[in-house]
Amino acid sequence: MSNQRSTSRDEDLLLQDFSRNVTTKSRALFSGNAAVVSAIPLWLFWRIHQMDFSSYFIHFILGTIVSTYFLNLAYQNMKFILKHKIAQKREEAVNREISKIFASDKSANKKDKDDRVLTRKNEVADFEATTFSIFYNNAFYLVCLLVLSFFVLKNFSPTVNYLFSVALSTAMVFLFSTGQK
Amino acid sequence: MFSKTALILLAFISVAYSQTDDEESFLFVTKQTVNRFIVQGKELTIKYGLYNSGPTTVFNVNLNDVHSYPSKYYELLVGTLNPKWERINAGTNLTHVVVLKPKESGISNSSHAIVTYQKSEKNTEVQRTYSSEIGDVYIMTGREYDRRFSSHVIDWILFTAMASPCIVFPFFLWFNSKRKYELLASKDKTTKKAQ
């Protein structure tokens, strides 16, 4: 009976480790970040390209929604790829960390210790992958957007400028996140 | 014979009276804008040059360009569109500057200015001449001008301030965690080696 419970717990842990699904907290974090990063360039377009909100309302809303969605996907993709790489790298360090904690506690058995190591490794890899994914995708998106909007598409009309720079930079970030091994 | 003499006399007299003065001056008038760009709501400077290249003085010079810049579309800031001068001496020239402010944007055509003058003080016959024209000009909106030319330094600074937390904060979190675990791993490696 307890055996079955522990195996199902192991399976859950494994599933969590290998699944692409993100927890609610993670999802909220990613969506929030994507929305903020998609909204910040609007200020630039308003002030520098002189695109007032009343006449470009539809474009802005559409652009923000599309880029939020794809940025979100890019965050998730990159996090999933990175998590495994980081987990492998951190295995030893996490082992040491947990050993230190368990060194004083003699009643713990190896099984519990291994469970703790796995959970902790998961947590650390999750955290690092999340933060790195957010940082990298944000930076890449903003740089792409700035280069496209203020250098490449500088002399086009504001509408074309906004739509193409948002679309192309979103596409680049998304494709890059799916392409990595 | 009398008729022949009369005829010849008549011919002489008519030639003497009809002979025009060869030495006459003509005024050349140029009209140009000093601006590189014409922007709605910003100043537009028009410069008229009147050149008397001939040997005599011209009198009662009157330039009229009111029809090119109706007050509905242009606000007159400095100068007058209908200046008058008593005389322009031979071989001299003068310039007249008018500063306007366009009220509307789009393509605008400003035609010739009309200049009238008398060739001599006594002869009140008025000679009319036309200036050169500027032709079609594009008046851009203030918004377009701002978009192309103003420096936006403050906007960039504020954008950087807004965007930095999105990039710096996650980087900081990731870097801290990475450093902590790499230190842990490397510290244990060195202790292992020492053993």
Side-chain angles (χ1 to χ4, degrees):
Chain A
M1 198 61 155
S2 62
N3 238 358
Q4 277 183 338
R5 261 194 287 131
S6 61
T7 31
S8 71
R9 240 189 68 195
D10 285 341
E11 279 170 6
D12 282 341
L13 271 173
L14 269 172
L15 272 173
Q16 194 190 46
D17 200 22
F18 286 99
S19 82
R20 271 183 182 269
N21 294 333
V22 287
T23 61
T24 320
K25 182 179 147 201
S26 215
R27 182 174 290 151
L29 188 70
F30 281 159
S31 305
N33 254 294
V36 165
V37 170
S38 304
I40 286 177
L42 289 185
W43 192 80
L44 256 190
F45 280 97
W46 171 49
R47 292 297 295 240
I48 296 186
H49 288 296
Q50 306 283 321
M51 292 168 78
D52 57 323
F53 283 110
S54 48
S55 40
Y56 289 98
F57 187 63
I58 307 266
H59 305 82
F60 283 167
I61 295 280
L62 192 71
T64 310
I65 289 177
V66 165
S67 77
T68 306
Y69 178 71
F70 282 104
L71 261 181
N72 210 351
L73 286 179
Y75 287 149
Q76 288 173 12
N77 287 344
M78 192 174 260
K79 177 197 158 174
F80 177 70
I81 294 167
L82 279 177
K83 194 165 153 180
H84 293 289
K85 283 199 219 166
I86 293 177
Q88 285 171 350
K89 279 196 226 171
R90 301 280 174 254
E91 180 144 19
E92 214 184 294
V94 169
N95 248 327
R96 308 294 171 210
E97 192 190 0
I98 300 296
S99 303
K100 271 191 209 166
I101 296 172
F102 272 75
S104 49
D105 187 3
K106 298 293 178 192
S107 59
N109 59 1
K110 195 174 185 318
K111 185 88 178 53
D112 283 340
K113 193 183 143 197
D114 283 344
D115 276 347
R116 276 293 293 269
V117 165
L118 191 62
T119 320
R120 181 72 188 144
K121 194 179 75 175
N122 225 3
E123 267 175 27
V124 169
D126 201 78
F127 177 76
E128 278 192 28
T130 307
T131 47
F132 189 78
S133 166
I134 293 178
F135 152 69
Y136 192 83
N137 281 313
N138 283 356
F140 191 29
Y141 176 72
L142 284 176
V143 165
C144 272
L145 190 73
L146 288 179
V147 165
L148 278 172
S149 180
F150 293 96
F151 293 97
V152 176
L153 297 174
K154 188 167 125 171
N155 293 317
F156 287 73
S157 77
T159 316
V160 169
N161 193 326
Y162 175 71
L163 290 174
F164 272 85
S165 46
V166 167
L168 286 174
S169 47
T170 305
M172 280 175 71
V173 168
F174 179 65
L175 289 173
F176 186 74
S177 75
T178 57
Q180 270 191 329
K181 277 278 163 251
Chain B
M1 193 179 167
F2 177 69
S3 55
K4 245 195 196 170
T5 329
L7 260 173
I8 294 168
L9 198 60
L10 200 63
F12 265 119
I13 293 167
S14 60
V15 165
Y17 272 111
S18 67
Q19 189 172 45
T20 50
D21 193 0
D22 268 345
E23 299 182 340
E24 267 187 346
S25 288
F26 286 100
L27 263 188
F28 297 99
V29 188
T30 60
K31 172 176 160 180
Q32 61 197 73
T33 171
V34 179
N35 286 34
R36 263 191 80 196
F37 299 101
I38 304 179
V39 186
Q40 174 189 16
K42 293 205 189 306
E43 289 175 1
L44 163 65
T45 308
I46 307 283
K47 187 166 119 175
Y48 300 93
L50 293 92
Y51 304 89
N52 181 356
S53 60
T56 63
T57 312
V58 295
F59 300 92
N60 282 340
V61 184
N62 181 354
L63 184 146
N64 189 338
D65 205 16
V66 178
H67 55 276
S68 293
Y69 300 109
S71 55
K72 184 175 160 203
Y73 299 111
Y74 292 91
E75 189 187 328
L76 184 62
L77 295 173
V78 177
T80 166
L81 285 167
N82 199 355
K84 294 174 177 42
W85 296 276
E86 262 189 29
R87 60 196 296 151
I88 300 180
N89 290 331
T92 57
N93 52 29
L94 57 86
T95 53
H96 176 68
V97 172
V98 171
V99 179
L100 302 157
K101 190 189 275 193
K103 290 183 190 169
E104 292 185 2
S105 62
I107 296 191
S108 147
N109 187 324
S110 63
S111 59
H112 314 279
I114 303 172
V115 177
T116 54
Y117 58 95
Q118 287 170 241
K119 289 201 190 128
S120 67
E121 227 162 346
K122 293 168 199 131
N123 184 2
T124 52
E125 183 190 324
V126 163
Q127 172 77 34
R128 175 188 270 240
T129 185
Y130 296 96
S131 73
S132 62
E133 66 167 349
I134 299 174
D136 282 333
V137 288
Y138 177 65
I139 303 176
M140 59 172 93
T141 59
R143 202 173 261 283
E144 211 178 311
Y145 179 76
D146 273 339
R147 187 186 159 215
R148 281 169 75 182
F149 300 108
S150 56
S151 74
H152 302 293
V153 169
I154 295 191
D155 296 329
W156 280 108
I157 291 177
L158 286 173
F159 170 74
T160 314
M162 284 198 303
S164 323
C166 289
I167 297 181
V168 166
F169 192 58
F171 176 74
F172 187 67
L173 287 174
W174 169 75
F175 189 70
N176 271 350
S177 172
K178 175 181 163 191
R179 199 169 47 163
K180 172 183 163 195
Y181 284 99
E182 278 184 352
L183 263 174
L184 257 176
S186 66
K187 197 170 66 173
D188 286 314
K189 270 198 196 134
T190 51
T191 49
K192 256 193 172 177
K193 272 191 188 167
Q195 284 170 4

